[in-house]
Every structure is written in structure tokens, then in C-alpha cells.
């Protein structure tokens, strides 16, 4: 089962600025943004550390929700009974583009993960994943955050 929006010690991998996973996440974000003419994002180790903290917390607590009162944008992805690749995670968020109508600036269903991906004013991203017991929780944090009511993403 895959969700968008833990037990014991989590296995985790931090996406540091030099890792192939961080490069993959950054390139995949950039490809989605390029489709609508938005510039690529810069990788932030600070946001990656924040994402890792939240992914570990959600896994340990067996929960799945956005960090309360965050000053950053945030995309979440969860899979149970399998593993996901960076491409699968970003593709799941990007697939919400079919629910977004630019002309009316409205969503039909869920599209907030997509609009955060392509948000014009966002400059940095940092992502992480926590894994344990057949469950993965992926978190990406964005600065500045997107999805301001009434404002178009691009």
C-alpha cells in the first residue's frame, strides 16, 4: 500500500548533498519543474536533516501526518510491504498534476504535493527516508514553502 500526505529502531539513509539519492531526488524535482518552466532547486543539508528527523519520528510512532506548525513546505510518501525508489516517490507526487487546473488555479482531488514540487518561489529542498519493518516514510522539506491559498504555483 502506498500513501501520500513505526516499531523499534528504524533503518534509515540520510540524503546528504553528495549521495546518489540526493542527486536523484534533486534531478527528479528539477525534471518536473522544467516541464512548467521553473528553475531547478538547490539541495539543502539543513532541510534533509529536518526531513530525516520527521521521517524517523513518524516511523517510530507508527504515524503519518505533516509536521505541525512547520515553517517549511513538506511532501510525504509512505509505502508498506515494499520499497520505493526516488523516481517512484517523485513520480507519485508529480502525477497529481492531472488534478490541477492552471486556468482556474483549482484542484480536483489532491494536488498539493505536485504544486509544492513546482512552486515558483521555492529555492531549496532536502529529503530523507526512514525504513523499518516493511514500511518506508519519505519526507521532503521545501524553503520557502509553497501552496499559498489564492496564489498560482507558477
Amino acid at each position: 500500500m502506498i500513501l501520500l500526505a513505526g516499531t523499534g529502531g528504524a533503518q534509515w539513509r540520510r540524503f546528504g548533498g553528495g549521495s546518489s539519492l540526493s542527486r536523484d531526488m534533486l534531478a527528479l524535482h528539477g525534471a518536473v519543474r522544467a516541464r512548467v518552466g521553473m528553475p531547478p532547486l538547490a539541495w539543502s543539508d539543513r532541510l534533509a536533516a529536518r526531513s530525516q528527523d520527521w521521517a524517523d519520528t513518524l516511523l517510530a510512532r507508527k504515524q503519518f501526518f505533516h509536521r505541525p506548525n512547520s515553517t517549511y513546505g513538506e511532501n510525504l510518501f509512505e509505502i508498506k510491504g515494499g520499497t520505493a525508489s526516488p523516481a517512484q516517490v517523485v513520480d507519485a507526487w508529480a502525477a497529481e498534476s492531472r488534478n490541477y487546473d492552471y486556468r482556474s488555479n483549482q484542484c480536483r482531488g489532491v494536488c498539493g504535493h505536485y504544486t509544492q514540487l513546482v512552486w515558483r518561489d521555492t529555492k531549496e529542498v532536502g529529503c530523507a527516508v526512514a525504513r523499518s519493518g516493511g514500511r518506508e516514510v519519505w519526507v521532503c522539506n521545501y524553503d520557502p514553502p509553497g501552496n499559498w491559498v489564492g496564489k498560482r504555483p507558477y
Side-chain angles (χ1 to χ4, degrees):
M1 174 172 42
I2 298 173
L3 298 173
L4 297 174
T7 306
Q11 284 186 307
W12 58 271
R13 184 181 321 189
R14 181 181 304 258
F15 294 155
S19 78
S20 64
L21 289 174
S22 63
R23 285 190 303 271
D24 288 349
M25 290 299 279
L26 198 56
L28 292 159
H29 275 73
V32 174
R33 292 174 63 83
R35 287 182 216 147
V36 293
M38 292 299 98
L41 300 173
W43 185 261
S44 167
D45 287 334
R46 170 183 53 85
L47 293 175
R50 180 177 175 82
S51 295
Q52 189 66 65
D53 175 67
W54 191 238
D56 291 342
T57 298
L58 292 173
L59 192 70
R61 293 180 182 172
K62 299 180 184 180
Q63 296 175 327
F64 189 70
F65 60 92
H66 288 285
R67 184 188 295 258
N69 304 313
S70 180
T71 57
Y72 301 105
E74 180 176 77
N75 278 352
L76 303 177
F77 178 94
E78 178 183 53
I79 184 169
K80 295 178 181 178
T83 60
S85 69
Q88 290 168 312
V89 173
V90 175
D91 287 350
W93 294 333
E96 293 177 4
S97 65
R98 68 180 173 267
N99 299 330
Y100 177 67
D101 179 60
Y102 184 83
R103 204 169 293 175
S104 67
N105 193 31
Q106 303 245 330
C107 290
R108 293 178 318 275
V110 176
C111 71
H113 301 98
Y114 167 70
T115 54
Q116 176 58 82
L117 271 174
V118 298
W119 199 262
R120 175 190 326 258
D121 296 335
T122 297
K123 304 297 183 215
E124 295 182 308
V125 64
C127 304
V129 61
R131 299 179 173 110
S132 181
R135 180 176 178 233
E136 289 184 351
V137 176
W138 295 69
V139 178
C140 287
N141 276 237
Y142 302 86
D143 190 25
N147 291 334
W148 295 101
V149 174
K151 188 172 177 187
R152 292 184 192 282
Y154 52 89

